[in-house]
Amino acid sequence: MTDPRSPGAAPTLEDVARAAGVSRATVSRVINGVRNVDPAIQEAVRQAVSSTGYAPNRAARSLVTRRTDAIALVVSGAGGEPDGEGPAEEGSFTAQVFADPFFGRVVTGIVNYLRPRGMHPVLMFAETSRARDEVLAYLRQGSADGALIVSTHAQDPLPGLVTEAGLPAVLYARPARPTRISYVDLAHRDGARLAAEHLLARGCRRIATISGPLDIPAAQERLAGFRDTMARHGRAGAPVAEGLFTQESGEAAMERLLAEHPDLDGVFAGNDLMATGACHVLREHGRRVPEDVAVVGFDDSRAASACRPPLTTVRQPVEDMAAEMAGLLLDRLAAPERPATSVIFEPVLVVRDSA
Amino acid sequence: MTDPRSPGAAPTLEDVARAAGVSRATVSRVINGVRNVDPAIQEAVRQAVSSTGYAPNRAARSLVTRRTDAIALVVSGAGGEPDGEGPAEEGSFTAQVFADPFFGRVVTGIVNYLRPRGMHPVLMFAETSRARDEVLAYLRQGSADGALIVSTHAQDPLPGLVTEAGLPAVLYARPARPTRISYVDLAHRDGARLAAEHLLARGCRRIATISGPLDIPAAQERLAGFRDTMARHGRAGAPVAEGLFTQESGEAAMERLLAEHPDLDGVFAGNDLMATGACHVLREHGRRVPEDVAVVGFDDSRAASACRPPLTTVRQPVEDMAAEMAGLLLDRLAAPERPATSVIFEPVLVVRDSA
DNA sequence: AGGGTCGGATAGAGCGCTCTCCCAGGGTTC
DNA sequence: GAACCCTGGGAGAGCGCTCTATCCGACCCT
């Protein structure tokens, strides 16, 4: 509490050293726990630290260690070049992003992994080319040690730019163009197969699917997995309606499907939000779920258990995947020379009431 | 691109100065736009900056300016001292937090405000006393310029600790103990009044409420506002069931209410998630919403419009409130001497189909 | 006993930037 | 024409930390 300098100033290493009667270097060593320090002196230093209320200045430390203990968590949007989007548009992007429970799960997984390791996530968006430049500049300034990138679209140039600049990064989902960059992904095709086979095994004969936006690789893969499986069971040409991964779009898609194929008895939705929308519409049209029409979702998000009836769905372990992403990045930071490794997770079918 | 130093190293101010044939100070002036610099020299410097691919080192800058352009966005939990909670418990806290659409909206509002101003949010949690200490240490290290605190419970000691340490901060929701700290809040009582009056005006005669957890001030206020209004209309003693602001707890509360008061014709739920749960349960019990039982929610979150039927609800402008919070903090940083000011937002009733 | 070794502490050189001086030179004022 | 100001640029001192090189003394070996 004794502050020998100007009262407002935070105590520095120097102050602690003086209080403990040792040199700055010794205090530094005690604080960072490097090399052997005499236990008695160690104790004296600790005393001095707590009596001065010392907290090491992070900027000064960063300046010499070249580490910030910060990780940029960037949500990257469409690759659209037109920068004419105003602030209103930008706002809608971020609003849209967080409306999806998916991102909450990603954040949860990352935070839980990073936190016990003393690293902190800095939230960033890169939906316009200007925002992308800002993210790049941020990283190049050494403001963060690396980036965790969640891309919503395949053509996203950010992963390429980041690796090109030699910045450590890990992606959620495989990039469109193969790049020398680590990523974490799900075996979407296998997941879709699980869903299709479950519907078939249940005895459904007229099965349709509501796909996600087809410019998103995950949506393509899920659709492809569904189609392959159906074809393998001699049921090629199942009806498809494209949605946007939102509940509203799921409702609209279900309406279309129902209008064209009133007799369908099974639906595979590309995610739980759309499945929820589909259930609503089915019920409004007097169809019982699962008695008349069985519905399978994808993700096993909060929406799946909240839905009435609770959704049978394909589990994507988002939190685990996000944690793995953070783990890969930290590994990379610890050993930059090692080649980029990626991890593919296997989905699991979670059977509830909707199918 | 010409790098006179060791190839891997990032260019420094010195390098740019050499390339432009001026001093470090001049380059710094051009980059930070301070004082007059000869246009020709300015141009030369810009040239040099882009040819060297220079990006100012943030740590070095922070060290002297004492600013980081980072803001800690801390989600603060219960005040529970018992630190015996393992990592599993911690994980469940963060998972729980992001399952609520509320936090997504807060993040959206904050990010949209901070971003154009070149500030970056660092995500932190402070649900245990250890985590709280870490947040405090982080702030005291000068790792962030200030804190935006979203407390989920009233007894949270963090606001007090932060102000005590003289760290700039702004809260979402008024603190339990009056503290010299800015905050942003909603007139919850008025919101509840709006809801109650709407149900009464609709002709509902047997109105119950599902409150949020009563250790949360917002939940208390909403309940108090509801009760006051009912009493003022000669209907004191309306049934109350306590929930936890989750859909599941809303379902459970509705079950209890229905068991004891099968004849009720109106429900005011403390938030939209619980209102959604209530709707599910009502329908399962054969009650039509709104014909048999009218339901009003609170928040106007995504859940309100996603619900079937779409919920009549009390709008809490979370994004605006969060942006205001960020605004108050930046004001405070710009003028530390000014007294703390707070802002209370007025809720609005949004009439949809459920009541 | 002398030289080698090694644990344990210090001195001091930066890390890359900002910012306060200080100086040169040209214009203004009386 | 001298004293003054004002604009634009440079020199250099630090910000608080880490880390290498160095030193000191105690201990061991022959």
Side-chain angles (χ1 to χ4, degrees), chain A:
Chain A
M1 294 301 157
T2 37
D3 194 334
R5 296 147 42 96
S6 53
T12 80
L13 249 201
E14 189 73 51
D15 298 328
V16 179
R18 202 178 312 126
V22 297
S23 73
R24 264 198 338 270
T26 302
V27 178
S28 174
R29 260 182 277 128
V30 171
I31 288 173
N32 297 305
V34 290
R35 272 186 37 183
N36 294 342
V37 177
D38 189 289
I41 293 192
Q42 246 179 75
E43 186 46 36
V45 169
R46 279 189 217 298
Q47 280 281 340
V49 165
S50 71
S51 80
T52 52
Y54 173 73
N57 179 303
R58 182 170 298 229
R61 180 178 281 178
S62 278
L63 184 54
V64 25
T65 60
R66 263 106 218 303
R67 297 254 298 161
T68 61
D69 292 349
I71 296 292
L73 170 48
V74 7
V75 180
S76 192
E81 288 311 307
D83 228 6
E85 330 184 24
E89 272 271 44
E90 291 184 13
S92 81
F93 174 78
T94 62
Q96 198 177 306
V97 159
F98 282 107
D100 196 321
F102 171 76
F103 288 96
R105 296 177 69 190
V106 170
V107 170
T108 298
I110 288 174
V111 168
N112 284 338
Y113 186 89
L114 251 28
R115 203 147 66 115
R117 291 165 179 80
M119 308 284 293
H120 302 276
V122 180
L123 211 49
M124 311 194 76
F125 289 89
E127 83 285 22
T128 63
S129 67
R130 190 157 68 84
R132 214 146 41 222
D133 290 346
E134 284 170 8
V135 169
L136 233 41
Y138 189 81
L139 258 18
R140 294 191 48 241
Q141 289 190 328
S143 311
D145 297 337
L148 260 16
I149 304 175
V150 183
S151 266
T152 55
H153 288 272
Q155 313 84 334
D156 188 358
L158 188 63
L161 294 170
V162 165
T163 34
E164 205 175 298
L167 299 163
V170 178
L171 301 185
Y172 196 103
R174 180 161 47 84
R177 277 170 298 192
T179 316
R180 226 191 119 279
I181 191 170
S182 292
Y183 62 86
V184 158
D185 209 342
L186 185 76
H188 297 284
R189 289 181 115 94
D190 291 350
R193 178 175 51 74
L194 255 30
E197 284 173 352
H198 180 73
L199 287 170
L200 288 166
R202 218 178 178 280
C204 295
R205 289 293 162 261
R206 288 165 302 280
I207 306 176
T209 186
I210 300 175
S211 80
L214 293 176
D215 54 340
I216 296 183
Q220 291 168 14
E221 294 281 298
R222 291 174 195 178
L223 177 57
F226 171 79
R227 278 182 163 149
D228 287 357
T229 308
M230 294 298 282
R232 210 174 313 119
H233 286 78
R235 299 179 190 280
V240 178
E242 185 178 348
L244 299 168
F245 276 157
T246 63
Q247 181 174 327
E248 291 76 10
S249 72
E251 293 171 6
M254 192 69 243
E255 291 281 5
R256 273 177 278 145
L257 247 22
L258 227 36
E260 289 186 35
H261 311 273
D263 60 340
L264 49 77
D265 60 1
V267 175
F268 166 52
N271 76 349
D272 292 334
L273 247 30
M274 296 194 300
T276 300
C279 286
H280 283 158
V281 169
L282 285 168
R283 188 163 38 221
E284 279 166 8
H285 283 263
R287 310 294 208 285
R288 290 167 306 165
V289 176
E291 294 82 355
D292 301 327
V293 182
V295 175
V296 177
F298 206 111
D299 281 350
D300 193 22
S301 67
R302 198 85 173 185
S305 41
C307 187
R308 291 298 132 137
L311 293 175
T312 288
T313 186
V314 177
R315 174 157 180 76
Q316 171 172 211
V318 179
E319 292 86 353
D320 296 345
M321 291 169 69
E324 181 66 45
M325 206 174 24
L328 287 175
L329 183 59
L330 261 40
D331 288 351
R332 171 77 197 285
L333 292 177
E337 70 286 359
R338 277 214 286 268
T341 55
S342 298
V343 181
I344 309 292
F345 283 72
E346 278 301 324
V348 170
L349 187 74
V350 178
V351 179
R352 295 208 182 83
D353 303 344
S354 72

Side-chain angles (χ1 to χ4, degrees), chain B residues 181-231:
Chain B
I181 190 170
S182 293
Y183 61 86
V184 158
D185 208 341
L186 186 76
H188 298 284
R189 287 182 117 93
D190 292 349
R193 178 174 52 74
L194 255 29
E197 284 174 351
H198 180 73
L199 288 170
L200 288 166
R202 220 181 175 278
C204 295
R205 288 295 162 258
R206 288 166 301 282
I207 306 176
T209 186
I210 301 175
S211 78
L214 292 176
D215 54 340
I216 296 184
Q220 291 169 12
E221 295 280 299
R222 291 174 195 179
L223 176 57
F226 171 78
R227 279 181 164 152
D228 287 356
T229 307
M230 293 300 282

Side-chain angles (χ1 to χ4, degrees), chain B residues 278-303:
Chain B
C279 286
H280 284 157
V281 169
L282 285 168
R283 187 164 39 223
E284 279 167 7
H285 283 265
R287 309 295 206 284
R288 292 166 305 165
V289 176
E291 293 82 355
D292 301 328
V293 181
V295 176
V296 177
F298 206 110
D299 282 350
D300 193 21
S301 66
R302 199 86 174 183

Side-chain angles (χ1 to χ4, degrees), chain B residues 98-120:
Chain B
F98 283 107
D100 195 321
F102 171 76
F103 288 96
R105 297 178 67 190
V106 170
V107 170
T108 298
I110 288 174
V111 167
N112 284 338
Y113 186 89
L114 251 31
R115 203 147 66 115
R117 291 166 181 79
M119 307 285 293
H120 303 276

Side-chain angles (χ1 to χ4, degrees), chain B residues 23-24 26 29 35-38 41 66:
Chain B
S23 74
R24 267 201 332 274
T26 301
R29 267 184 231 127
R35 274 182 41 176
N36 293 339
V37 176
D38 188 289
I41 294 192
R66 262 105 221 302

